[in-house]
Amino acid sequence: MLARVWSGAIVGIDAVKVGVEVDISGGLPGIVVLGLPDAAVQESKERVKATLKNSGFAFPMRKIVINLTPADLRKEGPCFDLPISVGVLAASEQVSTELLENYLFLGEVSLDGSLRPVAGVLPIAAAANKMGITGLVVPADNAQEAALVKGLNVYAFKNLADVADFLNNPGRYQPVQLDDKVETRHGASLQADLKDVKAQAHARRALEIAAAGGHNLIFVGPPGSGKTMLARRLPGILPPLSFPEALEVTRIHSVAGLLKNRGSLVRDRPFRSPHHSASGPSLVGGGTFPRPGEISLSHLGVLFLDELTEFKRDVLEFLRQPLEDGFVTISRTKQSVMFPAQFTLVASTNPCPCGYYGDTIQQCTCSPRQREQYWAKLSGPLMDRIDLQVAVNRLKPEEITQQPTGESSATVRERVQQARDRASVRFNHEPNLRCNAQMQSRHLQKWCKLDEASRNLLESAIKKLGLSARASDRILKVARTIADLAGDENLQVHHLAEAIQYRTIDRMQ
């Protein structure tokens, strides 16, 4: 007998419907899997055989041919265990086939018949809803993740026997209901608080501007000046993710298999901090079957590169296109996928190999040639894309011993939210813009108009600092954010002057 069950496969962060056709016919007993299966899918033959026997079902001792369609799409992962098991049961007439046409099945099976969670359930559920699939059957641990897709009946089970009983007696079961707390739960209160930072008013101000406009930021200073401490407090002053934004982030983390310990919905803005030994593919994504890298896992959040100059130069150059476009395209011989990458880059570095160039307390021991080689890893085009470049000095002894007196993250976050709200009103007819850092030239001409004094100031800065056209545009974007924080509709000279001061270490040597 022939039976067909629907499942899904991940392509980038999207999904396609996969048909699992099972044919049981005469011939020597055995199982053949067709349709470009990877090793995990090939191994499912033995898992399914043991699972059916241990769950109390009869395994057909006949020739079984399993075809995964479309045949030219590579199938990978253990998510096909459950649809193959259901297909074998349906083809051997042990379960009803009435629901199979309108339901999609996902899940890994254990040898005792229990169902294990799999990655990528959310994008597959979203795709299934668009394809006209009315129901989704998943392991119990994937229930809340799948239920995020509205308009889809999700049924979750702990073992294969319950799935079979559902197919034979669907009226006994009710679809999973989304936990109401999922849409509002977030952990902003658990973030490191900005009030713990002593002094460093200039750096704190830069953090606030970066959060309000989504601007890239680099801290340069000697060891122990608080660069890492400051950077790790940026997520705490960012506004919380909206529900649609949380779904975007959750889809990426679902594909990467990072939801098992995070619940069904990622409510906090991501903060990723890869080690400086990270490779290019680990940063931008890749692999034989492309998977998201650190920059995509930082989507709508923060990518923190500590000790920036310790990263390999070719790895850092991978950042240039995503920083400009907000996405990264991974091309392979047989497929090309696009991952979103709208992140805020925050970096920190020492000013020289010994770390003390320009320090007022300890003398630098590096030669000019050593400093030049040290900074050569940061190309001009990359530094152009970093809006805020801030020198951080070591604290004075009296500042170290004093109690922190700065504002809390909650207070700063309120101002950041107000600035973003002003930008949202301005972007009312620009649905692709989320923050000032994403503005293009036509937006700058419309919302960053300069008077005569401001234009003269900018021209003077371009000439003295040797700024590129891209760097000058970044200054205008930062000035626009500073005006939003001040509640001003138009750019003024002092907004532009403050923005210019953040471009003074483009090529520090």
Side-chain angles (χ1 to χ4, degrees):
M1 182 179 174
L2 174 66
R4 183 174 64 182
V5 179
W6 294 115
S7 187
I10 297 295
V11 179
I13 61 168
D14 297 314
V16 296
K17 188 164 66 170
V18 173
V20 180
E21 300 173 338
V22 180
D23 179 70
I24 300 178
S25 60
L28 293 175
I31 306 177
V32 178
V33 182
L34 309 174
L36 292 181
D38 73 345
V41 180
Q42 287 284 8
E43 292 173 353
S44 68
K45 297 185 295 185
E46 300 303 323
R47 285 197 298 272
V48 168
K49 186 176 181 180
T51 295
L52 292 178
K53 290 183 177 179
N54 293 331
S55 298
F57 299 102
F59 187 81
M61 299 305 295
R62 304 173 68 185
K63 182 178 180 180
I64 302 175
V65 178
I66 301 170
N67 183 41
L68 307 177
T69 61
D72 61 345
L73 176 68
R74 184 76 176 180
K75 321 301 186 307
E76 59 175 336
C79 66
F80 297 102
D81 287 3
L82 179 57
I84 289 175
S85 300
V86 172
V88 172
L89 290 175
S92 59
E93 300 181 342
Q94 297 183 70
V95 296
S96 172
T97 61
E98 184 178 348
L99 298 180
L100 298 185
E101 185 62 29
N102 296 318
Y103 277 70
L104 190 146
F105 296 79
L106 291 170
E108 178 185 348
V109 298
S110 297
L111 299 187
D112 61 357
S114 60
L115 302 184
R116 297 173 56 82
V118 293
V121 168
L122 179 58
I124 292 176
N129 193 34
K130 295 178 181 178
M131 295 171 189
I133 294 292
T134 59
L136 184 67
V137 177
V138 297
D141 289 341
N142 288 127
Q144 287 298 311
E145 180 184 349
L148 291 170
V149 179
K150 298 178 180 179
L152 189 68
N153 293 322
V154 177
Y155 294 87
F157 302 97
K158 293 184 177 181
N159 55 65
L160 181 61
D162 290 341
V163 175
D165 186 58
F166 164 72
L167 293 173
N168 291 325
N169 304 283
R172 296 180 181 177
Y173 298 87
Q174 296 296 322
V176 174
Q177 298 297 319
L178 180 64
D179 184 355
D180 292 337
K181 297 180 181 179
V182 168
E183 297 192 18
T184 58
R185 186 186 300 129
H186 65 88
S189 60
L190 302 179
Q191 301 285 356
D193 202 299
L194 197 58
K195 69 180 179 182
D196 299 330
V197 178
K198 299 178 180 179
Q200 305 292 14
H202 184 56
R204 291 168 58 97
R205 171 65 172 173
L207 276 179
E208 182 176 343
I209 295 171
H215 301 290
N216 303 318
L217 168 67
I218 183 172
F219 289 123
V220 181
S225 56
K227 303 184 297 294
T228 301
M229 183 180 185
L230 284 161
R232 292 189 178 278
R233 275 147 181 79
L234 179 57
I237 62 175
L238 289 170
L241 292 169
S242 65
F243 187 68
E245 289 176 334
L247 284 177
E248 285 186 52
V249 176
T250 303
R251 287 180 64 184
I252 300 171
H253 285 71
S254 176
V255 170
L258 300 179
L259 287 184
K260 295 179 181 178
N261 297 321
R262 299 200 62 176
S264 60
L265 187 68
V266 178
R267 290 298 302 168
D268 300 325
R269 291 188 181 270
F271 182 88
R272 306 290 299 183
S273 181
H275 191 260
H276 59 73
S277 62
S279 64
S282 71
L283 202 62
V284 302
T288 305
F289 309 106
R291 285 289 182 265
E294 291 292 337
I295 63 174
S296 294
L297 294 174
S298 306
H299 180 59
L300 300 183
V302 176
L303 176 66
F304 176 45
L305 300 184
D306 200 6
E307 304 297 341
L308 184 66
T309 47
E310 297 300 324
F311 284 80
K312 296 180 180 178
R313 181 186 172 105
D314 60 335
V315 172
L316 294 178
E317 292 304 296
F318 282 126
L319 294 173
R320 287 164 55 177
Q321 183 259 334
L323 284 173
E324 197 71 24
D325 299 335
F327 63 86
V328 59
T329 302
I330 309 296
S331 298
R332 295 293 179 264
T333 303
K334 294 186 177 181
Q335 69 175 160
S336 178
V337 299
M338 186 177 71
F339 295 118
Q342 294 180 3
F343 59 93
T344 298
L345 173 64
V346 179
S348 68
T349 185
N350 295 329
C352 65
C354 78
Y356 296 103
Y357 179 64
D359 186 40
T360 57
I361 300 177
Q362 188 164 338
Q363 186 175 2
C364 174
T365 60
C366 302
S367 67
R369 178 61 177 169
Q370 287 176 315
R371 291 196 295 269
E372 182 180 351
Q373 292 177 338
Y374 184 76
W375 280 90
K377 292 184 179 181
L378 306 182
S379 66
L382 178 62
M383 292 300 290
D384 271 353
R385 290 167 168 83
I386 300 181
D387 307 5
L388 304 167
Q389 303 168 0
V390 182
V392 181
N393 299 318
R394 281 201 288 178
L395 298 181
K396 299 176 182 178
E398 59 271 21
E399 292 174 331
I400 295 176
T401 57
Q402 73 179 13
Q403 292 296 320
T405 58
E407 294 177 308
S408 67
S409 292
T411 302
V412 177
R413 188 167 58 247
E414 289 181 6
R415 291 200 299 268
V416 168
Q417 184 65 67
Q418 291 171 1
R420 290 222 176 190
D421 290 342
R422 294 185 185 101
S424 297
V425 173
R426 192 165 56 246
F427 301 151
N428 187 41
H429 299 293
E430 298 284 349
N432 294 325
L433 291 182
R434 284 191 170 99
C435 57
N436 290 332
Q438 297 174 358
M439 291 191 296
Q440 303 298 318
S441 296
R442 60 186 178 88
H443 304 127
L444 297 179
Q445 295 173 6
K446 182 177 180 181
W447 295 315
C448 299
K449 296 179 180 180
L450 301 178
D451 56 24
E452 186 68 21
S454 298
R455 186 177 295 104
N456 291 336
L457 177 61
L458 181 58
E459 290 176 358
S460 177
I462 293 173
K463 183 182 300 183
K464 289 183 178 180
L465 299 177
L467 300 177
S468 66
R470 180 186 290 113
S472 64
D473 284 349
R474 298 275 174 171
I475 289 177
L476 291 176
K477 295 176 185 179
V478 172
R480 179 66 267 173
T481 299
I482 294 172
D484 287 341
L485 284 168
D488 295 332
E489 182 67 26
N490 299 317
L491 292 189
Q492 300 177 23
V493 174
H494 64 275
H495 300 146
L496 196 63
E498 183 178 359
I500 291 173
Q501 71 173 333
Y502 295 115
R503 303 294 310 190
T504 56
I505 54 174
D506 280 288
R507 296 295 294 167
M508 188 173 183
Q509 296 182 8

